[in-house]
Structure formats: structure tokens, C-alpha cells
Amino acid sequence: MRLVAEGLSAKRGEDLIFQDISFEIPRGEALVVKGPNGSGKSTLLRVLAGLLPAETGTAKLVAAAQPVERLGEACHYLGHRNAMKRELTVDENLVFWKAFFGDFSGGAGISVDEAVESVGLRGIVHLPFGYLSAGQQRRMAMAKLLVAWRPVWILDEPTAALDASAEAMFAGLVTTHLARGGIAIAATHQPLGLEGVRELRMTGFAGVGEAVW
Amino acid sequence: MRLVAEGLSAKRGEDLIFQDISFEIPRGEALVVKGPNGSGKSTLLRVLAGLLPAETGTAKLVAAAQPVERLGEACHYLGHRNAMKRELTVDENLVFWKAFFGDFSGGAGISVDEAVESVGLRGIVHLPFGYLSAGQQRRMAMAKLLVAWRPVWILDEPTAALDASAEAMFAGLVTTHLARGGIAIAATHQPLGLEGVRELRMTGFAGVGEAVW
Amino acid sequence: MIALLARDLKLSVRAGGGALIGVLFFMTVVAVIPFGVGPDLNLLSRIGPAILWIGALLASLLGLDRLFQAEREDGSLDLLLMQETPLVLTVFVKCVAHWVATGLPLVIASPLLGLFMNMDEVAIGATTLTLLAGTPAITFIGAAGAAIAVALPRGGLLVSILVLPLAIPVLIFGVSAVYAAIQDPAPFLPPFLILIAINLFFAVLGPVAAAAALRLSSD
Amino acid sequence: MIALLARDLKLSVRAGGGALIGVLFFMTVVAVIPFGVGPDLNLLSRIGPAILWIGALLASLLGLDRLFQAEREDGSLDLLLMQETPLVLTVFVKCVAHWVATGLPLVIASPLLGLFMNMDEVAIGATTLTLLAGTPAITFIGAAGAAIAVALPRGGLLVSILVLPLAIPVLIFGVSAVYAAIQDPAPFLPPFLILIAINLFFAVLGPVAAAAALRLSSD
Amino acid sequence: MSEPSLAIRKFSDLANPTRFLALVATVWPWLAGLTLCLFAVGLYLSFTTVGDYQQGETVRIMYVHVPAAWLSMMCYTVMALSALGTLVWRHPLADVSAKAAAPIGACFTLVALITGSLWGKPMWGTWWVWDARLTSVFVLFLMYLGLIALNRAMDEPTRAAKVSAVLILVGFVNIPIIKFSVEWWNTLHQPASVIRMDGPTISGEFLRPLLVMAVAFTLLFFTLHILAMRNEILRRRIAVLRRHAARSAGGAA
Amino acid sequence: MSHLFYVTVSYIAAFSVSMGLVLWVWLDHRGRHRELERLEAAGVRRRSAREETR
Ligand code: HEM
Ligand SMILES: Nc1ncnc2c1ncn2[C@@H]1O[C@H](COP(=O)(O)OP(=O)(O)OP(=O)(O)O)[C@@H](O)[C@H]1O
Ligand SMILES: Nc1ncnc2c1ncn2[C@@H]1O[C@H](COP(=O)(O)OP(=O)(O)OP(=O)(O)O)[C@@H](O)[C@H]1O
Ligand SMILES: [Mg+2]
Ligand SMILES: [Mg+2]
């Protein structure tokens, strides 16, 4: 299984944010996307997840355990927002996502209790999600990645709002995922504590698409 | 003129966030409030601005140029949100606040053009505020402090979203304000580049007020 | 899918959920009408079915704007969009949950309000029945409006404005079925069947349009 | 204060402003009524004034929830609360601006809609006049509701529910003044004067209650 | 420290929710028992007294309708007093009292509405008319529901309490309207015959069961109210404990 | 319909609404109690309660 991106470019409004980005990630490896504010890291990740249309180019998963039509189906996406309901308890949230996601073939998600244990927050699953502090909420959003199996993880600034101990926990999660044969792509300003990963540096501002106007 | 706070404590919901905080700031000096996430820095500043009722204690301005009933009247408050309308141009926003604030006796605000010049963003006053980047928006919010005179500045994480050059600019603004006989109180995680300022360290979590329930 | 249905129903009864508010708005609006047109019982029973229908229409539309906005705000919408499950099905299930949580209470409350409007038993029964058949259609077509307005800051009123014209056929056939039931010569079934047909039509069209709009507005 | 008035008016005509949406909603609601009650011209002209009043009432209330919510979201509310200017005055000015931006267009649109409802000249004139006198009262008392709901995620409908019962007197006297103008024996002035009195009363009560609620809900 | 006077100590005893819970625990069985006894007597009386020559058997509806109507107004008054307690004295139990009373008030109002309609059908020939009395009671019902919705929509109870207190006080104008609507406007509804300045004008035969039922309803209200207040206190205690747990969990882990 | 019908229906209605209220209070209390117990089982306790057990 490999993730192959070829000649990707994307627009926001009329502006071309990046142009002609190509890379390839084999199973068990991670890609870290870096660059200054506004250089298009989040945009790239959303294009990969299929949430934004690419202007040109394609990204696909080759030789996956199950044929995929859109790359997004094989991905977990962890954006800036946690995709959990404040009104429901942590447990209810995670049970819902586990049921809704289902497993991608080639792996199986762990149980909710185990996932919560892995992110180091056992004992508060019965609390409404809204009661948690920003850091705790982020950890629970990571537990969501564990309850259903997806080969590709797309992570946008995963360690924002986390303290040092939580960052180590996160590095452990990603390492385990890679060891199980997964792929991870993360955009970040801070070091992630992963060893020997590929890096992609965004320079930003590919130019205004003014040729049209 | 001195800002005197005595035995302040405040609650959020049922929890006592801090307790029995006292300090005194003479004119021309600044106080920096530090402490980990959730320790109550923002809460303290909002109590000083009169936006939250103090549970106990008082904060007042003694020997001010004009008698003040509530401390808030003599203060500029720069919170997390910029208090500018995205739909209006920068110019319209600043002109409105200048007219609405008026000047506190003992000083005078500078003109909108000069203020924009001081924060280093001349030439984009005619853009709608919503078109600016996060850092530019923050700078314009600082220009708001300059257009109307208030002896006390209350600043909550003023340098969030700013790059290094903007931080130096901000330190200059505060130094000028202090030199004019003002008082500044800032909560922050980052060093502000001010010299010889007092520091208040919040430890957080004074205890749950569960005695009541 | 069952999980999604269960979650949405849970959300609607938890704090801040809209289940109660829709009915309350319905009752308040209907209660306000007699103050306007005056306490003339004959007139009230004459326009009663129409008032109930319009009240139900407004109450279902005004609560709809949060259908996708809430999902978008906390980032869930992105994840729903990414799945293999056809988006149309996801939207359909969300509509069903929304109807059960807000449309059904309106139907249940309508007989009571019918009494207040001095309507007789037949009229009340017919109104309840047509509302039962018609409000799902409003929810389905409203979902398309909600999807279009998902990224707008003041969705509420705008969704109603977009959707009201489309919902007018539902209103027309609903009300005319009721009047057909009250007034002898006109037969009840034809408009009622048309209403059901509209319902089925919108049950397909609404989710399809909503899914398309959601895909287009994702950014 | 003039600055605040000017800013709020500017905001209401800029993109995303509510000025147009309110009238549109008003027109849509009123246009839907004939579909509901059927195209009986006599009936329409009989209930026309009431429908116009109820439509205007709903349209003014539904846009109101953003009055303070928008200020709160971008942090302006904090600064407004801190000033020496009495908060009651600030609220009053915001109400006036809101009324000019959304209430006044309703009044201006009402003669047109009156024609649609087959009302005669006197009725149209009386309706417009009473709306002119009555809609400010709705805005003022609605401001209290808006202040109460300022911190709620789904303020919209709730504000209407809370405020509608309080707005009923306005509706009663507004409509009865119109009917008094149409039907000869009843005098027009007494209800109209009461309407104006209510207006003045709410112009005080609304801002005072709103200011109290804003202070209490600041956090 | 000087010993505070007995009255003040009593007051602050009650101010303490824990003490209040202890008080409720001892008082409520007695209250509930008394309520049941009174209802037994009241029901017995109301089914054994003769029917009215005008209204026939339906006069028996009065024995539930009138107490429920009174209670619906009294409950709102209790809420308004609690709202004052919240705003003026910042009494923590006042919040709880106002919030706990709303559903109970809504139910009593509902009973008054239902029994009134059921009485109206045989007496006036219609379930409902839009006269001032009936309408103002319906508005009261809507206001109760609105307050419940407002409380449910806010997640922080203290702030919700303050804000609903403002609304409760503004809505209090409706109570005199309900009470005096029969005198200010001419309505179908009966004018007051029991609670009036110049003493009751109703005949003793009806008065006795009516008063017994009224006292029983009032006791029922108080029983339910203190029990609902107890639940509300527990709810807040749970919320505090949960926040506490959330705050201390994971931070060190 | 006989007057008796209206009388019985109103008594039944009043009774069932009151019973609904009683039921609500009772179920609410049971639910809250359970939650408190669950919290306590999870080791979350009021400070005063903790001191008592010490
Ligand atoms: C849904 C309809 C009705 C509502 C909402 C309603 C409401 C009320 C209220 C709020 C009161 C208390 C008034 C006070 O304390 O001054 C009351 C009292 C009373 N109602 Fe009704 N009512 C309704 C229908 C009826 C009907 C149909 C009858 C009988 C024909 C009736 C007979 C009475 C009587 C006799 C009293 C006691 C008045 C007194 O002695 O003070 N009500 N009702
Ligand atoms: N929703 C949007 N609509 C229009 N333009 C946008 C939108 N989101 C971002 N942009 C623009 O696209 C550019 C790239 O944004 P992007 O969020 O991808 O940057 P980033 O590298 O993730 O930055 P950061 O480090 O701050 O997260 C920026 O110039 C931004 O102004
Ligand atoms: N609106 C609110 N309602 C209830 N609790 C709140 C609210 N805002 C903050 N808190 C709580 O009050 C405590 C102190 O928050 P505060 O925002 O003052 O911290 P801070 O020191 O400013 O933290 P940071 O460094 O993250 O800005 C936190 O535990 C937080 O959970
Ligand atoms: Mg980004
Ligand atoms: Mg802070």
C-alpha cells in the first residue's frame, strides 16, 4: 500500500495556494508538512482528505487492502475542530463514531475503553464532552482515531493545546499506527517527537490566479 | 494615580478560581500576570475591567485625574477578541471607537491615521477588517487603544498571533503609554520585551466552592 | 446509520436541543393569531386549518437552520462527508431524526391547538393527518435550504426565505385536503394522495440537493 | 451615541446585514397566507390587517436575536459594557438603529402587501400608521429578550417565544385601532393612543431590562 | 466570634443546601402523608356534597379546577419571590427554588386549562373561547414553558438563574391580569366569589370541599417543590463534582 | 354526553397530570442518586464527605 500524490495544486478563492506538489508515502512511514502561517498546510491536508477539490493533480492509495474510490474513505482526518458533541458524554461520542465509521479492511479498531486508556484519560468517559478542558478534549479526539481502523491518518496541528506529557503520548500513538502498517501525514509548527520521518516544506503563495480575470 | 486591588477573589460557575489577590500599581508602571493554562489570568483581568463581579475584594483607581465610579471606565480592555466588525473597513471601525470612547481626562487620543501608522500598517485602512490576516487584525485592535486616552490598559495575551517584529512594536507602544503616566496590566505566556516590570504569578484553582452545594 | 439516528435524537433532547422549542414556537404563534383576527369563533374555525398549517410550516422551517450548521461548527460535517456511506443516505437519516424530534411533536400538538381554534372533530382529525403526511416533506426540502445556508452567519431567516416558496405546494395540498374533508362535495383523497406523492418526491429530491450543496460548500 | 447609531445602520446595509432579510421574510409570510386560507377576497380583506400585523410582529422578532449576539461574538459587547455612558442609553440607541434598519422597511412594505390582501385605502393607511407606531414597541421589548438570549447557541426561536407573550398587548391595540378605523362606530383614537403609550412604556422598560440582563450574563 | 442572633442563624442554616437537604429529608414524609390525608377527605367531601341546581354534577369539576387555577398563580408568585431572592439577596437556594417551581407550575396550569375546558364544554357549549381570563391563563402556561426552555438552553445554572429571574419579574405583570381579567373585561368566566374583599359569596356547601381541596393542592405543591429542589441541588452537586473530576483528571497523567 | 363524563374525565386528567409530576420528581431523584453513586464509585467525592470517611 502506498499513498501517491501527483502534481497537486489548490485554490482558495481566486488565489492559487500551492502548485505542483508530488510525493509518495509507503506503508509504515509518516510525512510531516511544515511552513510559515498561511503557507497552505491546512489546505493541502483538506485536499488530501477530499474536503476541497484539487485544482490539478490527483492523490490516491495504491495497492490498498480494499479498493478505494476516493482517498478520503481510507483516512482519518483530525482537523482543528474535534468533531465531538459538547452535550453528549465522551462515551456516547466515541461509541457513535465507532459505529458510524466501521472498520476499513486490513485492521480493526480497539474498544472505546482501551482507546480512552491509550490517551491516558480513563475514568472520565461519563462526563459530557463540554466539561473537559481544551487539552483533554484534544486527547479524546485522538481516541476517536483508535476506535475505528483507517490506514491513513491526516492530522492538522494535532499537538496544539497539548502539554509536554501529552505530546509523548501522541508520538507513541503514531508510532504504533505506523508499526501496524499505517500511513500518517501531519501538519505542524512544533516538533512531533517522531524519528526518521519525511518532511515537506511549504513555501506558500504560488501566485494569484489572475490570468482568468 | 495608583491602581489598588485588595483581597480579590472570583468564581467561575461554582469554582473559586483565585482568592485574596492584592496589589498596587503606581502610575508609569506595568504588571505582568503569568501562570499556566486555566490558572485564572483572563478571569482576573475581566474582574478588573468590571466585566465579571468579584466574589470578594475591591479594585479601584485612587487619585485619578477624574473621579471614577467603576474602574472599568478608566480602562482600555484588549481581550481575545478584537471588537472590530468584519464588514466595516478598518477606518470606519477606528473612527467609531474613537467617537464612542471619547477621552478620559488627563490625556488625549491620537488621530486614526497616526494610530495606524504607529502599529505599522499604513495604507490598508480602507480594507474591510475581515480581509486582514490574524496578525494584522490584532495590530489594528492595538491601534484602538491609541485613538482614545485611557490611563489603564488591560491586555489579555496581546501578542498572540503576532510575529517577532510586531512584538517589538507592541513593547514600544506600552513603553510610550507608561511614559505618559499610564498603567498597564498584561496577561501573557510569552515574554513581552518590557523591562523592569512587576510580576504576578497565578497558581490557579483556589478550590472548588463545593461547600455551598 | 442507526447510530446517527440515535445520536441526533439524543442531542435533540439534551440541554439546548430544539425539540421543545419548535412546539413552543408553534403554540405561541397559533395563540397569537386570535389576538390579531379577534375572538370570533366562526372565523377562527374557518381559518383554523390554514393557521395550523402555516404555524407548523414556520415552526419546522425556523428550527431547520441548525441541522447542518451545528455539525459544521464542531467539525463533524467534515467526517460525515468523508465516509463511504453515500452522503445522500446520511442526510436522509439526519432529516428523519430531525422530523421525529421536531416535526412529530408539532403533529401531536396540533389537535390541542385545533380545539383552541374551535375546529370540529373532523377538521382536527384531517389537519393532524395531513400534517403527519406533510411535515416530513417540509423537513426534506428544508434540508436542502439548510445545506445551502450552512456556511452563512445568519442562516435562520434566510433558510425560511429560500425554502418557503418551495414549500408552498405542500401547504396548498395540505390545506385543501383539510377543507375537502370538512366541506362535503370535495373529495378528501385526491389532494391527500398528491400530498403523499409530494412527500415521496421531496424525500428523494431534498437529500440529493442537500448532499450536492454540502459537497460544494465544503472549504 | 450618534457614532453608534451610524455604525449600526452601516452594518445593517453591508453584506450579511439583516435589513433586507426581515422585509423578505415579512413578504413571504404574508404571501403564503392566501395559499392557506384560500383566495376568498372578502375574507382576505377582513383578516388583512391582522395578518399584516402578525407578519410584521414575527418578522421583527425573528431578526432580533442577533442584536447583541453579534456584538458579543466579536468582543464589542465587553467594551460597550465598560463605558461611562449609561448602558441603558447604549441599548436604546441600538434599538433605534435596529428599528430604522428592519422595522421601518416593514412599515414601508406594508401598503404594498395591503393591496395584495385586497384591503381598501382607509384600512391600508390605518395599518401602516399603527405599524409605524407599534413596531418600535416590539423592538424595545424584543431587545430585552435578545439580551436574555445573548449567550445561547440557538437564540433565534427562543427569543420569539419569550417575547411574543409580552408583545401581545401591542398586537391587540394595533389591530383594534385598525378595525376601529374601518368600522365606523368605534373611535380610532383611544386604541391608537394606548398603542403610543405602550410604546413609550416599553421604550423605558425594554432597555432597562435588557441592560440588567446584559450585565448579569456577562462572563 | 460573637454568637449571631437566632433568626440570622436560622436563615443561614437554610441558606446551606446541605442543611436544607437534611431538613427536606425529615419534613417530606410528613408533608406527603398530610397531603394524602387531605386529598382523601377532600375527595370524599367533593363526591358526597349534592350537585348544584344550575350546573348539576359538573360543579364537582370546581373542586379540582379552582385549586389548580389558584396554585398556577401562586406558583408563579413563588417564582417571582425567588427571582427577587436571586437578584437582590443572591441566595443560592433562590435559584434552585425558581427553577424547580417552573415544571410544577406548568403542570398545575395545564390541569386548570384541561378541567376548565372540560367544564366549559357542558356549560358554555365550547371547549375554548378567547376571552381575557382563559387567554391570560394560556399565556401563563406558555411563559412557564418558555422559562423551562430557557433554563434548559443554558448550560451554566447560576447564569441561567439570573437571566431567567429578570424574565420572571418582567412576566409577573400577567398575574394581576389573570386575577382581575374577569372584572376589567366582561368575560364568559365566573367572577371571583371566594377570594374577594368582602368575603366569600359562595354557599358553604360548596365552600367546604373547595377549601379542603385547595389546602390539599397547596400541600401537594409544597411537597413536590421541596422534593424538586432537592433534585436540583443534587444536580448542581453532580455538575460541580464533574467539573472537579474533569479538572483533576489527566492533567498529571 | 352526560355531565358525569366531564366530571370523571377532569378528575382523571388532574390525577394523571399530578401523577406525572410525582413520577418526574421520583425518577429524577433516582437518576441523580445513581449518578452521584457512580461518581463516588469513580473516586470523585465532596471534600466534606472525604473528610468524614477519613
Ligand atoms: C380553560 C378554561 C378556564 C380557565 C383557564 C379558567 C381559569 C380560572 C382561574 C385562573 C381561576 C382563578 C381565579 C381567581 O382566583 O380569581 C378560576 C376560577 C374559577 N373558575 Fe375557571 N377557568 C376556565 C373555565 C371555567 C369554566 C368553564 C367554569 C364554569 C362554568 C369556571 C368556573 C370557575 C369558578 C367558579 C372559579 C372560582 C372563582 C372564585 O370563586 O374565585 N372556569 N378559573
Ligand atoms: N476558508 C478560506 N477561504 C478563503 N481563503 C482561505 C480560507 N482558509 C484559508 N484561506 C487562505 O488560504 C491561505 C492558506 O491557508 P492555510 O490555512 O492552508 O494555511 P496554513 O499553512 O494551514 O497556516 P497555519 O500555519 O496558520 O495553520 C491563507 O492565505 C489564508 O488566508
Ligand atoms: N466562561 C466560563 N465559564 C465557566 N468557566 C470558565 C469560563 N471561562 C473560563 N473558565 C474556567 O475558569 C478557569 C480559569 O480560566 P481563565 O480563562 O481565567 O484561565 P487563563 O489563566 O486565562 O488560561 P489561558 O492561559 O488558557 O488563557 C479555567 O479552569 C476555565 O475552565
Ligand atoms: Mg493550518
Ligand atoms: Mg486567558
Side-chain angles (χ1 to χ4, degrees):
Chain A
M1 187 183 61
R2 295 192 326 278
L3 198 162
V4 183
E6 268 170 13
L8 284 178
S9 64
K11 270 189 182 175
R12 284 286 202 181
E14 294 305 324
D15 301 345
L16 213 50
I17 302 292
F18 55 80
Q19 217 168 5
D20 201 19
I21 288 191
S22 306
F23 54 82
E24 199 180 312
I25 320 175
R27 54 175 295 180
E29 295 215 15
L31 177 78
V32 172
V33 185
K34 301 211 152 177
N37 281 138
S39 58
K41 301 181 295 297
S42 303
T43 308
L44 174 63
L45 296 194
R46 290 183 71 80
V47 168
L48 289 178
L51 295 169
L52 267 182
E55 194 62 20
T56 63
T58 55
K60 51 182 182 288
L61 202 64
V62 281
Q66 143 188 353
V68 283
E69 213 175 304
R70 291 173 294 119
L71 175 56
E73 292 167 14
C75 299
H76 268 307
Y77 173 76
L78 179 65
H80 291 291
R81 287 165 296 185
N82 293 320
M84 308 278 260
K85 297 286 170 196
R86 304 174 54 82
E87 298 88 2
L88 300 182
T89 65
V90 172
D91 202 35
E92 285 168 335
N93 268 303
L94 288 176
V95 166
F96 162 69
W97 282 121
K98 187 174 173 60
F100 187 81
F101 280 147
D103 281 325
F104 195 83
S105 62
I110 60 180
S111 79
V112 168
D113 284 338
E114 283 168 341
V116 171
E117 176 95 47
S118 315
V119 297
L121 285 181
R122 204 162 35 119
I124 57 171
V125 286
H126 59 282
L127 294 182
F129 188 71
Y131 277 23
L132 306 188
S133 85
Q136 293 170 335
Q137 294 189 341
R138 197 69 183 161
R139 292 202 210 185
M140 287 301 180
M142 286 177 182
K144 201 178 58 201
L145 305 179
L146 304 175
V147 294
W149 167 256
R150 287 286 186 281
V152 183
W153 285 6
I154 300 182
L155 313 167
D156 198 354
E157 311 217 9
T159 54
L162 289 191
D163 55 34
S165 72
E167 281 175 16
M169 178 274 297
F170 168 74
L173 292 187
V174 175
T175 314
T176 319
H177 176 69
L178 298 181
R180 287 176 74 190
I183 290 175
I185 306 174
T188 171
H189 292 290
Q190 299 144 311
L192 284 184
L194 301 174
E195 278 154 35
V197 293
R198 293 148 190 254
E199 241 181 59
L200 176 70
R201 188 156 282 280
M202 310 282 293
T203 49
F205 204 50
V208 184
E210 51 189 328
V212 184
W213 302 112
Chain B
M1 189 181 64
R2 295 193 326 279
L3 198 162
V4 183
E6 267 169 16
L8 284 177
S9 63
K11 271 191 181 175
R12 284 285 201 182
E14 295 304 326
D15 301 346
L16 212 51
I17 302 292
F18 56 80
Q19 216 168 5
D20 200 19
I21 288 192
S22 306
F23 55 82
E24 200 180 312
I25 320 175
R27 51 177 297 178
E29 298 216 12
L31 177 77
V32 173
V33 185
K34 302 211 149 175
N37 280 137
S39 59
K41 301 182 294 298
S42 305
T43 308
L44 174 64
L45 295 194
R46 291 184 70 80
V47 168
L48 289 178
L51 295 168
L52 268 181
E55 195 61 19
T56 63
T58 56
K60 51 183 181 288
L61 203 64
V62 279
Q66 145 188 351
V68 284
E69 213 175 304
R70 290 174 295 116
L71 175 56
E73 292 167 13
C75 300
H76 268 308
Y77 173 77
L78 179 66
H80 292 289
R81 288 165 296 185
N82 292 320
M84 309 279 260
K85 295 285 171 197
R86 301 175 57 85
E87 300 87 1
L88 301 182
T89 65
V90 173
D91 201 35
E92 285 169 334
N93 268 304
L94 289 176
V95 165
F96 161 68
W97 282 120
K98 187 174 171 58
F100 187 80
F101 280 146
D103 282 325
F104 194 83
S105 63
I110 60 181
S111 79
V112 168
D113 285 338
E114 282 169 339
V116 171
E117 176 95 47
S118 314
V119 297
L121 286 180
R122 203 160 37 119
I124 56 169
V125 286
H126 59 280
L127 289 182
F129 188 74
Y131 281 20
L132 305 188
S133 85
Q136 289 168 333
Q137 292 189 344
R138 199 68 183 159
R139 292 201 207 191
M140 287 303 181
M142 285 178 184
K144 202 177 62 204
L145 306 180
L146 304 174
V147 295
W149 167 255
R150 287 283 186 283
V152 183
W153 286 6
I154 299 181
L155 313 166
D156 199 355
E157 311 218 6
T159 55
L162 291 189
D163 56 33
S165 72
E167 280 175 18
M169 178 274 298
F170 167 73
L173 292 186
V174 174
T175 315
T176 322
H177 176 68
L178 297 182
R180 288 177 73 192
I183 290 175
I185 306 174
T188 171
H189 291 292
Q190 300 145 311
L192 284 183
L194 301 174
E195 279 155 35
V197 293
R198 291 150 190 252
E199 239 181 59
L200 177 69
R201 187 156 282 281
M202 309 281 293
T203 48
F205 200 31
V208 182
E210 53 182 329
V212 184
W213 301 110
Chain C
M1 281 304 114
I2 303 293
L4 184 60
L5 189 71
R7 179 190 74 149
D8 275 19
L9 287 179
K10 256 187 217 153
L11 276 176
S12 69
V13 295
R14 290 289 157 90
L20 189 61
I21 294 186
V23 209
L24 256 180
F25 182 77
F26 182 39
M27 288 169 62
T28 319
V29 168
V30 173
V32 156
I33 303 281
F35 293 105
V37 300
D40 174 347
L41 287 184
N42 283 332
L43 178 62
L44 280 183
S45 65
R46 161 88 178 74
I47 63 172
I51 297 297
L52 284 190
W53 254 96
I54 292 169
L57 183 66
L58 289 181
S60 355
L61 284 183
L62 288 171
L64 257 174
D65 57 316
R66 300 290 301 170
L67 187 60
F68 300 113
Q69 233 171 33
E71 302 280 343
R72 182 190 143 90
E73 273 163 19
D74 66 9
S76 303
L77 187 60
D78 288 341
L79 302 192
L80 297 182
L81 281 172
M82 279 169 65
Q83 297 321 302
E84 213 180 337
T85 340
L87 187 56
V88 180
L89 188 61
T90 309
V91 172
F92 182 82
V93 171
K94 278 191 73 68
C95 288
V96 172
H98 186 268
W99 180 76
V100 173
T102 66
L104 202 53
L106 297 183
V107 177
I108 293 171
S110 61
L112 199 74
L113 291 171
L115 281 184
F116 284 165
M117 301 302 285
N118 195 35
M119 285 154 60
D120 60 22
E121 289 74 25
V122 182
I124 290 179
T127 309
T128 311
L129 198 62
T130 51
L131 278 179
L132 185 66
T135 42
I138 299 173
T139 304
F140 285 125
I141 195 65
I148 289 171
V150 68
L152 300 179
R154 31 187 310 139
L157 281 188
L158 198 58
V159 173
S160 318
I161 294 168
L162 292 177
V163 172
L164 263 181
L166 295 175
I168 283 179
V170 185
L171 181 70
I172 292 178
F173 287 104
V175 175
S176 59
V178 178
Y179 282 119
I182 312 175
Q183 290 144 9
D184 253 346
F188 171 72
L189 266 190
F192 189 68
L193 290 180
I194 297 180
L195 192 64
I196 289 177
I198 295 180
N199 206 336
L200 294 179
F201 177 65
F202 278 171
V204 176
L205 181 70
V208 168
L214 284 179
R215 284 233 183 276
L216 290 177
S217 71
S218 137
D219 73 332
Chain D
M1 283 302 115
I2 305 293
L4 184 60
L5 189 71
R7 180 190 74 151
D8 274 19
L9 288 178
K10 257 185 215 154
L11 275 175
S12 69
V13 296
R14 293 288 158 88
L20 197 59
I21 294 187
V23 202
L24 263 177
F25 181 78
F26 182 38
M27 291 169 56
T28 322
V29 167
V30 173
V32 157
I33 303 281
F35 290 110
V37 300
D40 174 348
L41 284 186
N42 281 333
L43 180 62
L44 278 185
S45 66
R46 158 85 179 76
I47 63 173
I51 297 299
L52 284 189
W53 253 95
I54 291 166
L57 184 64
L58 287 180
S60 348
L61 284 184
L62 289 172
L64 256 175
D65 57 318
R66 300 289 302 167
L67 186 61
F68 300 111
Q69 231 169 34
E71 302 281 343
R72 180 192 145 92
E73 273 163 18
D74 67 9
S76 303
L77 187 60
D78 289 342
L79 302 192
L80 297 181
L81 282 173
M82 279 170 64
Q83 298 318 303
E84 214 179 336
T85 339
L87 186 56
V88 179
L89 188 62
T90 309
V91 172
F92 182 83
V93 171
K94 280 193 72 69
C95 289
V96 172
H98 187 268
W99 180 76
V100 173
T102 65
L104 203 53
L106 298 183
V107 177
I108 293 170
S110 60
L112 196 74
L113 291 172
L115 285 181
F116 286 167
M117 301 298 286
N118 192 37
M119 285 154 59
D120 60 22
E121 292 74 24
V122 182
I124 290 180
T127 308
T128 312
L129 198 62
T130 51
L131 278 178
L132 185 65
T135 43
I138 299 172
T139 306
F140 285 125
I141 194 66
I148 282 170
V150 67
L152 297 182
R154 30 187 310 141
L157 280 189
L158 199 55
V159 173
S160 320
I161 295 168
L162 298 179
V163 172
L164 266 178
L166 298 175
I168 285 177
V170 184
L171 181 67
I172 292 179
F173 288 104
V175 174
S176 60
V178 178
Y179 284 120
I182 311 175
Q183 291 146 9
D184 252 344
F188 171 72
L189 265 190
F192 189 68
L193 290 181
I194 295 182
L195 190 64
I196 290 178
I198 293 180
N199 208 335
L200 295 179
F201 176 65
F202 278 172
V204 176
L205 181 70
V208 168
L214 284 179
R215 282 229 185 276
L216 289 176
S217 70
S218 137
D219 74 331
Chain E
M1 227 164 65
S2 68
E3 193 68 3
S5 81
L6 196 64
I8 292 181
R9 230 183 34 219
K10 273 246 172 76
F11 188 69
S12 57
D13 271 8
L14 274 179
N16 182 332
T18 313
R19 299 261 169 66
F20 180 80
L21 285 188
L23 185 71
V24 171
T26 50
V27 163
W28 86 264
W30 297 99
L31 260 181
L34 198 56
T35 312
L36 280 182
C37 294
L38 273 172
F39 265 118
V41 176
L43 285 176
Y44 172 77
L45 282 180
S46 52
F47 279 111
T48 46
T49 43
V50 290
D52 188 55
Y53 65 96
Q54 264 182 337
Q55 306 192 333
E57 292 295 317
T58 54
V59 75
R60 302 196 198 288
I61 297 180
M62 180 169 76
Y63 306 133
V64 285
H65 168 72
V66 177
W70 284 341
L71 260 294
S72 70
M73 291 188 289
M74 193 188 87
C75 183
Y76 198 91
T77 315
V78 168
M79 284 170 68
L81 289 178
S82 308
L84 276 181
T86 299
L87 292 182
V88 180
W89 297 293
R90 299 177 182 276
H91 200 301
L93 277 182
D95 303 5
V96 172
S97 158
K99 189 174 172 195
I104 304 175
C107 283
F108 280 122
T109 317
L110 185 65
V111 170
L113 283 170
I114 293 177
T115 53
S117 300
L118 283 167
W119 202 353
K121 188 67 181 172
M123 300 315 295
W124 306 334
T126 169
W127 298 102
W128 186 261
V129 288
W130 291 93
D131 83 346
R133 160 63 59 85
L134 274 59
T135 307
S136 52
V137 173
F138 186 52
V139 168
L140 179 69
F141 183 58
L142 290 178
M143 274 179 354
Y144 276 126
L145 294 185
L147 282 166
I148 295 172
L150 181 65
N151 264 320
R152 284 173 53 84
M154 292 210 176
D155 48 5
E156 202 192 297
T158 31
R159 197 139 50 99
K162 286 185 197 159
V163 169
S164 19
V166 174
L167 189 70
I168 291 172
L169 289 181
V170 172
F172 191 70
V173 289
N174 195 29
I175 294 300
I177 292 184
I178 295 178
K179 178 73 193 154
F180 299 112
S181 52
V182 275
E183 286 156 38
W184 293 345
W185 294 283
N186 56 341
T187 61
L188 267 179
H189 195 280
Q190 219 97 349
S193 52
V194 179
I195 305 181
R196 44 189 293 150
M197 289 302 187
D198 48 1
T201 55
I202 191 173
S203 85
E205 187 145 12
F206 301 125
L207 193 57
R208 214 171 322 112
L210 180 59
L211 286 186
V212 175
M213 285 297 269
V215 175
F217 265 86
T218 314
L219 284 180
L220 176 66
F221 167 72
F222 280 118
T223 314
L224 289 172
H225 189 215
I226 58 171
L227 288 178
M229 277 174 76
R230 171 172 76 171
N231 291 345
E232 187 56 30
I233 290 174
L234 291 186
R235 203 190 318 277
R236 301 227 176 153
R237 185 170 284 177
I238 289 168
V240 168
L241 288 178
R242 278 181 166 173
R243 278 193 201 273
H244 194 154
R247 192 163 294 167
S248 40
Chain F
M1 260 174 283
S2 79
H3 286 180
L4 199 62
F5 167 80
Y6 293 105
V7 176
T8 21
V9 171
S10 24
Y11 274 83
I12 288 172
F15 179 77
S16 39
V17 173
S18 316
M19 271 306 128
L21 212 46
V22 171
L23 211 65
W24 166 68
V25 167
W26 183 57
L27 287 180
D28 199 20
H29 184 246
R30 220 179 50 171
R32 298 298 80 76
H33 217 79
R34 288 240 172 102
E35 264 174 38
L36 264 180
E37 272 166 7
R38 258 202 359 215
L39 279 169
E40 234 160 67
V44 186
R45 291 195 171 180
R46 304 187 64 227
R47 207 169 21 198
S48 43
R50 231 171 311 164
E51 274 154 15
E52 276 159 28
T53 52
R54 221 175 265 158

